[in-house]
């Protein structure tokens, strides 16, 4: 995928969320606590609720995107840039994403440490191919 494709495909939070859903749950949303597939969507808050155990969760829960104030399009772009095969400095990342250096630094740390996580590389792999 090219940079242009990435920025078009993942322009909004909603586009990123639906990509995250498809990657995490290719067979349909599944409860991360009990594995049930009978899930209702609490549409106003992008939240899901399990009909069996009443567990409430979101698509980013349990990923590096959980509880972050950084918009998902910036995360996706950061992952793309860090996987493009070229070395990218934190300074560059901070400029490209219009984020403070400290924020870019902690994103880069989290992305690097997640590279070993299979679910994450599946997600990142989609960006690179
Ligand atoms: Zn459940």
């Amino acid at each position: 995928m090219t940079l242009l494709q990435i920025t078009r495909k993942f322009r909004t939070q909603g586009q990123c969320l639906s990509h995250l859903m498809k990657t995490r749950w290719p067979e349909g949303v599944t409860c991360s606590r009990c594995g049930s597939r009978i899930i209702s969507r609490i549409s106003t808050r992008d939240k899901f609720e399990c009909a069996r155990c009443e567990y409430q969760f979101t698509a980013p829960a349990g990923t590096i995107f959980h509880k972050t104030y950084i918009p998902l399009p910036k995360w996706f772009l950061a992952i793309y840039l860090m996987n493009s095969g070229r070395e990218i400095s934190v300074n560059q990342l901070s400029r490209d994403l219009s984020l403070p250096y400290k924020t870019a630094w902690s994103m880069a740390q989290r992305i690097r440490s997640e590279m070993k996580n299979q679910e994450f590389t599946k997600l990142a792999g989609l960006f690179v191919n």
Side-chain angles (χ1 to χ4, degrees), residues 10 13 16 70-79 97-99 107 111:
F10 303 114
Q13 187 81 359
C16 295
I70 302 156
L72 286 176
K74 290 197 179 192
W75 271 109
F76 280 29
L77 198 54
I79 294 164
L97 301 175
S98 308
L99 288 170
M107 279 174 97
I111 291 169

Side-chain angles (χ1 to χ4, degrees), residues 20-41 47-62 119 122:
L20 209 53
M21 279 174 60
K22 276 184 243 151
T23 314
R24 291 197 80 182
W25 304 298
E27 329 262 296
V29 181
T30 307
C31 175
S32 26
R33 183 182 279 169
C34 76
S36 166
R37 290 235 180 99
I38 306 159
I39 305 292
S40 58
R41 190 170 189 161
K47 245 183 178 181
F48 303 101
E49 188 179 87
C50 174
R52 195 201 281 165
C53 74
E54 295 183 348
Y55 183 59
Q56 291 190 356
F57 56 98
T58 62
E119 195 176 341
K122 203 166 66 182

